[in-house]
């Protein structure tokens, strides 16, 4: 089953059931990465490509003032 199909199926549910699915997915995400620092394989690849092309700005390079 593709991601799009699952998303479409959730959209067909009544609003209260959609909320239940949302809360369950949120719980799964927080269990997997509670501080939102992990990358999926696709995110890792895109980050490495961006770093190789120097499309990434390091946090130390930002003037926060």
């Amino acid at each position: 089953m593709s991601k799009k199909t699952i998303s479409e199926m959730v959209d067909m549910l009544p609003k209260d059931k959609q909320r239940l699915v949302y809360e369950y997915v949120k719980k799964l995400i927080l269990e997997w990465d509670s501080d939102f620092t992990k990358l999926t394989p696709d995110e890792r690849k895109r980050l490495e490509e961006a770093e190789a092309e120097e499309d990434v700005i390091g946090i130390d390079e930002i003037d926060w003032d």
Side-chain angles (χ1 to χ4, degrees), residues 37-54:
T37 58
K38 294 180 184 176
L39 298 176
T40 64
D42 184 53
E43 290 169 330
R44 170 67 57 202
K45 180 182 173 195
R46 291 186 354 225
L47 176 61
E48 289 171 355
E49 289 170 354
E51 288 174 337
E53 296 175 13
E54 298 181 0

Side-chain angles (χ1 to χ4, degrees), residues 1-13 21 25:
M1 201 175 279
S2 72
K3 293 177 190 175
K4 183 176 180 184
T5 302
I6 293 170
S7 174
E8 289 171 347
M9 290 172 65
V10 171
D11 287 342
M12 290 187 290
L13 293 171
V21 171
V25 169

Side-chain angles (χ1 to χ4, degrees), residues 17-64:
K17 302 295 183 188
Q18 289 179 14
R19 184 72 183 164
L20 180 66
V21 171
Y22 168 77
E23 290 299 327
Y24 184 73
V25 169
K26 185 171 126 180
K27 182 175 178 144
L28 286 172
I29 291 169
L30 290 174
E31 286 293 321
W32 178 68
D33 186 11
S34 60
D35 57 2
F36 299 101
T37 58
K38 294 180 184 176
L39 298 176
T40 64
D42 184 53
E43 290 169 330
R44 170 67 57 202
K45 180 182 173 195
R46 291 186 354 225
L47 176 61
E48 289 171 355
E49 289 170 354
E51 288 174 337
E53 296 175 13
E54 298 181 0
D55 285 344
V56 176
I57 299 172
I59 195 164
D60 296 331
E61 299 174 54
I62 298 173
D63 181 7
W64 295 97

